[in-house]
């Protein structure tokens, strides 16, 4: 059976990072709110308590019920988790005189302790807390200290419980991965056999069981998530999956044909639907970005629903939802306010009265790519930059017209092809051209022009939540600018966006 680790979330911004680190060790783990987690069965090899923005001394401090865990299976408290294991079990946690924040050195380590096997004395760790453990309960033993923090790490004698006041999951804790690895391997005894291949095998089996002989529809977007979801379902149920790829008229140049062709080559049972006229029609006269998004979302649902009804006996709607969306909606802090209207087709399941199947709901984005690789997905889909559901409509500031779409497509093609032919495409997380509703004066030959400006945008990022502008070579930018101005009618000025996110977003609308 699939061994796993449970992570109980107390609301720390780093909880997801703990999960990622553990999965990097090829061990499967799941995150649950501290007050709502399943009773551990024999597959649960250990439990980790995350950090928290709360103080254990607050009246409202999150208080987990650990009766089924503590003293029964391996337990590791991180930061707040460690303070909880102290404060509520006979020790004392007090406000620290100096807020303990940032880098520190673990000058004293008990290397006999299985959590610290092979960890270098003096190794850098990263602290972030306003409280500190002042006194440990009887039966606890200090296993690590920094210059300022006596109880940086402890364990409880006679049970498999550990606590550390620093964050092993963050990059600044140099040997954090080793410590988590020690916990997972030495203490929990995990085998570490969770790989993309094993995920595929397990998921295909589970999908067959779940879906039986039913038929399923899925909306393909050209992006990685929906494509990987489709491949997994294709493995499980073959042509009982019908994938629908809608041309909303807002795609890049030749994208619809190229992507449809790629899907067919992958053996998917896919239907292409050219609904471009419908979308462009509905967008006429609309300049407000949120209104544009809403219209595109609504028309997509209408088109998809119409097409899906042409498939007989459909019982399920498959979606490419991934883990960050799932955690966000169940997290301790509740659905975060930052959830964008990006979830373009959120209304689809309600409208269609279908049951929803989400084969990727437990994966992080980079894991989706690894699974895609295991499924032998072609590189042109696997390494494709993210592309927003509303497509070029949010890259044309103001009203969307067929002329503007055509101008933007031509400029975009030059930029993207340039990135590819100069070996820069994979170094950039996302690239786009934006068409501004701004004209400026130029000269071409002997003539004065009064034409449009386009913006080149390229960013590096890991998840799109934060991003930096890509430092593309000047010669490359010069070449792209020349090509656009010479070849794209109606554009006489090209600028490069050098803003990072935050505060600037990746898209301009
Ligand atoms: P921002 O512009 O918010 O973009 O920095 C972050 C990431 O989200 C994409 N994005 C969208 N994706 N529907 C989508 O499916 C949308 O309405 C939308 N708006 C932005 C953006 O391309 C980037 O990858």
């Amino acid at each position: 059976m699939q061994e796993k680790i449970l992570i109980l979330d107390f609301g720390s911004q780093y909880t997801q990072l703990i999960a990622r680190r553990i999965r990097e060790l090829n061990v499967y783990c799941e995150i649950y709110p501290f007050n709502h987690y399943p009773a551990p069965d024999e597959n649960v090899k250990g439990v980790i308590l995350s950090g928290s923005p709360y103080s254990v001394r607050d009246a409202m401090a999150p208080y987990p019920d650990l009766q089924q865990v503590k003293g029964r299976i391996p337990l590791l408290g991180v930061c707040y988790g460690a303070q909880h294991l102290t404060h509520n079990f006979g020790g004392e946690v007090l406000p620290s005189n100096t807020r303990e924040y940032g880098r520190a050195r673990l000058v004293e380590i008990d290397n006999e302790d299985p959590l610290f096997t092979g960890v270098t004395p003096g190794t850098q760790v990263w602290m972030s807390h306003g409280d500190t453990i002042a006194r440990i309960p009887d039966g606890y033993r200090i296993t690590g200290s920094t210059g300022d923090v006596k109880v940086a790490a402890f364990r409880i004698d006679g049970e498999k419980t550990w606590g550390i006041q620093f964050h092993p999951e963050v990059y600044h804790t140099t040997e954090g991965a080793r410590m988590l690895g020690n916990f997972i391997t030495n203490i929990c005894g995990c085998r570490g056999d969770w790989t993309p291949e094993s995920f595929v095998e397990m998921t295909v089996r589970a999908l067959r069981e779940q879906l039986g002989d039913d038929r399923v529809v899925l909306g393909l977007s050209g992006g990685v998530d929906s494509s990987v979801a489709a491949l997994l379902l294709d493995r499980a149920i073959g042509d009982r999956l019908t994938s629908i790829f809608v041309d909303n008229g807002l795609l890049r140049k030749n994208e619809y044909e190229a992507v449809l062709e790629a899907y067919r080559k992958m053996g998917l049972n896919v239907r292409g639907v050219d609904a471009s006229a419908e979308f462009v029609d509905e967008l006429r006269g609309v300049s407000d970005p949120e209104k544009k998004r809403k219209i595109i979302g609504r028309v997509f649902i209408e088109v998809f629903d119409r097409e899906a009804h042409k498939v007989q006996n459909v019982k399920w709607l498959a979606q490419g939802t991934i883990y960050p969306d799932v955690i966000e909606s169940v997290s301790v802090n509740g659905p975060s306010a930052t959830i964008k209207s990006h979830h373009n087709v959120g209304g689809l399941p309600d409208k269609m009265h279908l049951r929803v199947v989400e084969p990727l709901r437990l994966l992080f984005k980079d894991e989706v790519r690894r699974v895609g690789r295991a499924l032998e997905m072609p590189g042109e889909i696997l390494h494709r930059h993210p592309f927003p559901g509303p497509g070029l409509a949010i890259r044309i500031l103001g009203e969307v017209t067929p002329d503007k779409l055509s101008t933007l497509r031509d400029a975009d093609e030059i930029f993207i092809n340039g990135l590819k032919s100069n070996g820069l495409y994979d170094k950039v997380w996302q690239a786009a051209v934006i068409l501004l509703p701004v004209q400026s004066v130029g000269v071409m030959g002997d003539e004065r022009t009064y034409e449009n400006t386009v913006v080149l945008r390229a960013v590096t990022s890991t998840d799109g939540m934060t991003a930096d502008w890509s430092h593309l070579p000047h010669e490359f930018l010069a070449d792209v600018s020349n090509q656009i101005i010479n070849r794209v009618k109606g554009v006489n000025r090209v600028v490069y966006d050098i803003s990072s996110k935050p505060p600037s977003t990746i898209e301009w609308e």
Side-chain angles (χ1 to χ4, degrees), residues 245 251-266 380-381 384:
F245 181 44
L251 302 175
R252 296 189 141 117
K253 195 165 182 178
N254 301 327
E255 177 105 336
Y256 177 62
E257 297 75 13
V259 169
L260 201 53
E261 179 61 23
Y263 283 145
R264 294 211 164 110
K265 276 205 193 125
M266 281 153 53
E380 60 178 311
I381 304 270
R384 177 169 291 255

Side-chain angles (χ1 to χ4, degrees), residues 293 340-344 386-390 394-395 429-430 464 501 504-509:
R293 279 193 171 83
K340 318 110 200 165
S341 51
H342 291 189
H343 293 270
N344 312 302
F387 187 71
I394 55 168
R395 294 182 181 167
W429 193 76
Q430 186 172 14
K501 172 181 180 174
S504 308
T505 48
I506 296 172
E507 306 291 347
W508 274 47
E509 278 198 337

Side-chain angles (χ1 to χ4, degrees), residues 270-326:
V270 58
R271 290 190 183 192
V273 185
D274 178 0
S276 44
E278 216 166 323
F279 282 87
V280 175
D281 234 32
E282 296 259 5
L283 285 169
R284 189 171 302 140
V286 182
S287 342
D288 178 71
E290 279 302 297
K291 279 203 187 117
K292 289 198 264 186
R293 279 193 171 83
K294 293 242 158 64
I295 291 172
I296 294 161
R298 171 176 58 74
V299 178
F300 180 85
I301 290 174
E302 288 165 13
V303 171
F304 188 86
D305 188 45
R306 202 163 62 212
E307 287 305 314
H309 272 99
K310 296 181 185 161
V311 187
Q312 299 294 311
N313 290 324
V314 170
K315 297 253 172 47
W316 298 83
L317 171 70
Q319 295 194 310
T321 318
I322 63 173
Y323 204 37
D325 308 324
V326 175

